[in-house]
């Protein structure tokens, strides 16, 4: 059973860069899974940020695309999220997840516990 | 962009059947996935590809999808089913989540 664990700073200054890592255990990051980031602002619903494959291929939410970069580190068996030029609107719990199933129809069958990132000076 | 709509809240009497809907244009042509999220916890997949249950999910959870509406049905509702539920679809290369439904078990 694949397990995921997010890590990274819990506080980021406005206009700074949010950087998170998701460690994959119990399985290889070189698998059929696409690796996903989802966020949830306080009291709000789920928002898909994007996905990355171990080959480096990625798809991003159009609303965030200009600020997001995702990558995979095979040697560390983890994947990462970078979000630049953050504002208070980026304050949220950030979840990493694994996407299973056919591309463009996949479902998220494993999730990290989530990490709260607050954007504040 | 594609949108899916969920009712903000649904109430069900203990032991009865809850039906949670996810509405979207021709959603019947898409694969719909459902997640349960309890307060302070990560979402959990409860239904995938319209009607399939992952291992460990009780048979009380079922799904259907036709026309403009996908439905998550929870039979014999229990207090532990009280959660937020989100539907999810793909729109081209983008994932779309519904706004979520808060299920209250009375």
């Amino acid at each position: 059973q694949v397990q995921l664990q997010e890590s990274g700073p819990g506080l980021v200054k406005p206009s700074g860069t949010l950087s998170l890592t998701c460690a994959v255990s119990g399985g290889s990051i070189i698998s059929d899974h696409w690796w996903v980031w989802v966020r949830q602002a306080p009291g709000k619903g789920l928002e898909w940020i994007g996905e990355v494959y171990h080959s480096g291929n990625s798809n991003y939410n159009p609303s965030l695309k200009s600020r997001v970069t995702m990558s995979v580190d095979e040697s560390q068996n983890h994947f990462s999220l970078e979000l630049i030029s953050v504002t208070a609107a980026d304050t949220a719990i950030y979840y990493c997840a694994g996407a299973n199933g056919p591309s463009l129809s996949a479902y998220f069958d494993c999730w990290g516990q989530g990490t709260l990132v607050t954007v504040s000076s | 962009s594609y949108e899916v709509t969920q009712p903000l809240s649904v109430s069900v009497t203990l032991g009865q059947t809850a039906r949670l809907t996810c509405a979207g244009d021709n959603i019947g042509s898409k694969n719909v996935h459902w997640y349960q999220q309890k307060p302070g916890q990560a979402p959990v997949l409860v239904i995938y590809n319209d009607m399939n249950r992952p291992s460990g999910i009780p048979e009380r959870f079922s799904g259907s999808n036709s026309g403009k509406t996908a439905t998550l049905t929870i039979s014999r509702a229990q207090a532990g089913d009280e959660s937020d539920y989100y539907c999810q679809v793909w729109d081209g290369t983008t994932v779309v989540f519904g706004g979520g439904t808060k299920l209250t078990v009375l």
Side-chain angles (χ1 to χ4, degrees):
Chain A
Q1 178 74 5
V2 172
Q3 293 185 316
L4 305 176
Q5 178 67 59
E6 305 89 350
S7 61
L11 181 65
V12 181
K13 294 185 186 305
S15 77
T17 297
L18 181 158
S19 297
L20 296 174
T21 295
C22 182
V24 178
S25 59
S28 173
I29 203 160
I30 307 175
S31 70
D32 287 340
H33 276 81
W34 282 71
W35 303 105
V36 174
W37 290 94
V38 173
R39 71 180 183 179
Q40 186 170 36
K44 303 296 184 182
L46 303 174
E47 181 181 28
W48 178 77
I49 301 171
E51 61 174 2
V52 63
Y53 197 57
H54 63 79
S55 64
N57 288 350
S58 58
N59 293 305
Y60 300 140
N61 187 323
S63 69
L64 299 169
K65 188 174 183 176
S66 63
R67 299 194 291 129
V68 171
T69 303
M70 295 182 185
S71 60
V72 170
D73 186 331
E74 295 177 13
S75 66
Q76 297 291 324
N77 217 44
H78 71 214
F79 60 104
S80 300
L81 166 69
E82 278 203 349
L83 181 67
I84 65 172
S85 305
V86 298
T87 69
D90 295 309
T91 293
I93 296 172
Y94 285 75
Y95 295 100
C96 60
N100 205 349
S103 179
L104 307 185
S105 185
Y107 47 89
F108 308 145
D109 62 351
C110 53
W111 292 73
Q113 65 186 25
T115 187
L116 174 63
V117 179
T118 301
V119 179
S120 175
S121 55
Chain B
S1 62
Y2 191 81
E3 294 184 357
V4 291
T5 302
Q6 299 183 250
L8 283 176
S9 62
V10 169
S11 297
V12 62
T13 301
L14 186 68
Q16 297 304 301
T17 297
R19 294 179 177 83
L20 285 66
T21 59
C22 177
D25 187 34
N26 198 28
I27 198 171
S29 67
K30 299 180 179 293
N31 286 322
V32 179
H33 317 304
W34 291 89
Y35 302 87
Q36 176 192 63
Q37 186 181 34
K38 297 185 177 182
Q41 297 185 19
V44 173
L45 180 72
V46 293
I47 292 288
Y48 66 97
N49 292 346
D50 298 338
M51 62 179 63
N52 297 289
R53 274 179 293 104
S55 60
I57 301 301
E59 291 183 6
R60 300 185 297 104
F61 288 79
S62 62
S64 63
N65 184 18
S66 179
K68 296 183 177 182
T69 306
T71 303
L72 172 68
T73 300
I74 305 172
S75 304
R76 303 182 299 284
Q78 301 178 359
D81 299 332
E82 194 162 279
S83 303
D84 293 327
Y85 291 85
Y86 295 91
C87 60
Q88 176 240 314
V89 298
W90 284 81
D91 176 32
T93 59
T94 301
V95 167
V96 177
F97 284 106
T101 295
K102 180 177 181 59
L103 177 67
T104 300
V105 180
L106 303 173

